[in-house]
Amino acid sequence: MATIIGGLAASHVPAIGGAMAKGLQKDPYWAPFFDGFEAPCRWLEAAKPDAAVVIYNDHGLNFFLDKMPTFAVGAAPEYRNDDEGWGIPVMAPFKGDTKLSWHIIETLVESEFDPVTCQEMLVDHAYSLPMELFLRGRAHDIPTVPVVVNTVQHPLPSLRRCFKLGQAIGRAIESYPEDLKVVVIGTGGLSHQLEGQRAGFINTAFDRRCMDAMTGDIESLLGIDPHELVELAGSQGVEVMNWVAMRGALLGDVHELHRNYHLPISNTASGIMLIENRPRLAQAA
């Protein structure tokens, strides 16, 4: 059976792609961010996952305000990057895994979720940048399943709903009959707001609370309603919903192996996390 070996989280600021394309990884402005990926990359190189589920938010490539599903799942044989201009300029397509995708979709429907299923799907910086940053040379070889969460058009799904989505994804992966090692990646955040009177808003205390909760008291986040989340994280910082969904998929004993917090990069508080998902020990009779 498939196993989930860990969860990863990272911000997906579009300007990261431009910095990568220009070779600015050691530039003083960017180095504290890029250096934060060294430990997760070493862990991934040693763990050698067979597949990745990437939970992120679409930026208008597949869905816009006139048609915005709460959740969507890719079921395509490949995913081509078609960013809006701020990401990595040109890249090869990413591999899909249609069998794993349909198993996840069927399990979600059985769990009373109703995702849009996408047999053709474009991806943008929210998907492609974390794949490149975490998996590097394997980014275009490892099969993936993209999962899109609406973080844009209200009403937004609650953090609790996102967590339950993640739990259903976790059950789907753990019931998949192939011997695969899977990582789940949640992208976006942390706190930021790009428009209005609060443009430039960052909430360091809430960011650290969210990162602590990934392996601590996750329940302390789940009661925050979407409107309060906007107040705490900023209108774009609600992307932490993707982190919470990732955390929900980790059904074992979770252990934080690495975190990096740096600000600002392009008016955003950047967070990176690596969480190991260890099998739960069988309880004594």
Side-chain angles (χ1 to χ4, degrees):
M1 305 295 283
T3 58
I4 301 171
I5 59 173
L8 299 139
S11 303
H12 61 224
V13 177
I16 298 166
M20 293 168 69
K22 296 172 185 175
L24 299 178
Q25 289 88 336
K26 296 301 180 183
D27 180 90
Y29 179 84
W30 287 104
F33 169 76
F34 285 108
D35 289 349
F37 287 92
E38 292 302 320
C41 287
R42 288 194 298 269
W43 182 86
L44 287 161
E45 180 61 29
K48 291 183 170 52
D50 301 300
V53 173
V54 184
I55 304 172
Y56 70 107
N57 51 293
D58 177 83
H59 291 77
L61 293 184
N62 303 284
F63 313 111
F64 200 60
L65 300 183
D66 58 337
K67 299 179 183 68
M68 181 65 69
T70 302
F71 304 118
V73 181
E78 68 175 24
Y79 303 97
R80 294 185 175 274
N81 183 76
D82 194 22
D83 215 322
E84 64 267 39
W86 290 94
I88 300 172
V90 179
M91 61 173 62
F94 296 89
K95 290 179 63 175
D97 185 332
T98 55
K99 285 182 62 179
L100 180 58
S101 287
W102 281 110
H103 181 75
I104 290 173
I105 291 165
E106 289 167 0
T107 303
L108 288 176
V109 173
E110 290 170 2
S111 302
E112 301 185 347
F113 285 90
D114 302 301
V116 169
T117 58
C118 304
Q119 297 183 70
E120 293 182 355
M121 195 175 195
L122 298 171
V123 293
D124 60 29
H125 63 275
Y127 167 101
S128 58
L129 290 178
M131 285 290 293
E132 295 282 345
L133 290 163
F134 282 126
L135 292 159
R136 295 184 174 176
R138 298 189 65 208
H140 298 270
D141 298 325
I142 184 171
T144 65
V145 177
V147 178
V148 171
V149 175
N150 169 30
T151 67
V152 176
Q153 176 75 0
H154 289 257
L156 304 177
S158 68
L159 289 174
R160 189 174 300 280
R161 185 67 171 159
C162 293
F163 186 75
K164 290 180 177 179
L165 173 78
Q167 289 178 311
I169 291 170
R171 292 193 299 269
I173 295 168
E174 292 193 347
S175 66
Y176 190 64
E178 294 188 19
D179 185 19
L180 299 178
K181 294 186 292 184
V182 181
V183 291
V184 181
I185 303 173
T187 91
L190 288 167
S191 63
H192 63 295
Q193 180 156 326
L194 304 179
E195 78 293 314
Q197 293 182 352
R198 293 207 309 167
F201 173 81
I202 287 176
N203 186 344
T204 299
F206 183 68
D207 292 338
R208 297 193 186 281
R209 175 183 169 188
C210 290
M211 298 180 84
D212 290 344
M214 291 298 112
T215 54
D217 184 10
I218 190 66
E219 182 66 29
S220 68
L221 295 183
L222 302 187
I224 299 172
D225 70 44
H227 296 287
E228 184 184 4
L229 183 60
V230 172
E231 292 181 5
L232 289 168
S235 53
Q236 284 75 44
V238 298
E239 292 166 347
V240 74
M241 294 154 58
N242 302 327
W243 288 46
V244 169
M246 172 278 293
R247 172 60 184 85
L250 308 182
L251 304 179
D253 288 323
V254 294
H255 298 266
E256 179 181 328
L257 299 185
H258 173 76
R259 77 164 68 181
N260 175 279
Y261 183 73
H262 174 66
L263 58 90
I265 55 169
S266 189
N267 294 323
T268 299
S270 161
I272 303 165
M273 288 196 76
L274 166 61
I275 302 169
E276 189 173 43
N277 185 55
R278 301 174 187 172
R280 292 188 184 275
L281 297 176
Q283 293 183 353

